[in-house]
Amino acid sequence: MNNRQAAHDGLNDAELSQLYQEVILDHYRRPRNKRDIEDTTHTVTMNNPLCGDVIDLLLSVKGGRIADISFKGKGCSISLASASMMTERLKGKSVDEALALSGTFTEMLHGDPAAAEATELGDLRALAGVSKFPVRVKCALLAWNCLQELVGPDA
Ligand code: ZN
């Protein structure tokens, strides 16, 4: 290990970006919550024609809380990894908490450095680098647009 690595908790920038890529690929290859759910209260299908991504989001909302959440669909690694990480992060959250996380995630993808530091995003921060690729931002936001469509302020 060299000094530069030691100054970054053992990870240099290249290794950090490699780690993030592995998180994204892991969710792409082994998507979480890609299944049916019981007692679906909300469902929508949205697509991103620029890339060909299609996401169905399913919610079971009980008492203002996301009792269960899942997704189906097809698309690129960014769109599916974002959907998979989103379902893991939002299950059990209140609708208000979910929408607040959606706002922070969207700010991160629009390049807000403070949002990219938000620990409540968890693994979703692995997608911060996507903000440098405007065409892919739509991929990362697709599942979140479904959420907004189902329970957002204009729903
Ligand atoms: Zn895509």
Side-chain angles (χ1 to χ4, degrees):
M1 179 181 287
N2 63 32
N3 290 335
R4 186 158 180 278
Q5 285 173 314
H8 287 77
D9 294 331
L11 293 172
N12 64 29
D13 289 348
E15 285 167 331
L16 204 57
S17 96
Q18 179 67 29
L19 174 73
Y20 280 171
Q21 278 188 345
E22 283 171 15
V23 171
I24 292 166
L25 283 175
D26 181 54
H27 278 269
Y28 175 58
R29 289 177 181 142
R30 296 190 304 116
R32 319 309 197 260
N33 302 306
K34 195 175 181 190
R35 56 183 169 83
D36 283 308
I37 58 175
E38 304 271 321
D39 304 329
T40 305
T41 57
H42 301 69
T43 180
V44 69
T45 303
M46 294 184 86
N47 67 89
N48 170 20
L50 286 176
C51 182
D53 311 312
V54 183
I55 298 273
D56 300 323
L57 188 69
L58 295 88
L59 297 179
S60 176
V61 176
K62 291 179 181 164
R65 196 161 284 278
I66 298 176
D68 204 357
I69 177 170
S70 73
F71 78 102
K72 298 176 185 181
K74 59 186 174 66
C76 67
S77 58
I78 299 294
S79 64
L80 296 177
S82 182
S84 172
M85 285 188 244
M86 184 185 90
T87 59
E88 269 204 325
R89 204 67 201 157
L90 298 190
K91 189 172 175 184
K93 293 265 190 296
S94 72
V95 168
D96 288 345
E97 288 167 337
L99 291 174
L101 275 174
S102 174
T104 304
F105 182 75
T106 303
E107 285 167 11
M108 179 183 83
L109 282 183
H110 290 158
D112 181 338
E117 298 290 320
T119 53
E120 64 266 28
L121 288 177
D123 279 359
L124 286 158
R125 284 182 296 169
L127 292 164
V130 175
S131 67
K132 299 191 191 83
F133 307 96
V135 173
R136 309 312 299 280
V137 167
K138 290 190 187 331
C139 303
L141 287 178
L142 183 57
W144 299 83
N145 290 342
C146 291
L147 179 77
Q148 292 286 341
E149 181 77 14
L150 292 177
V151 296
D154 300 325

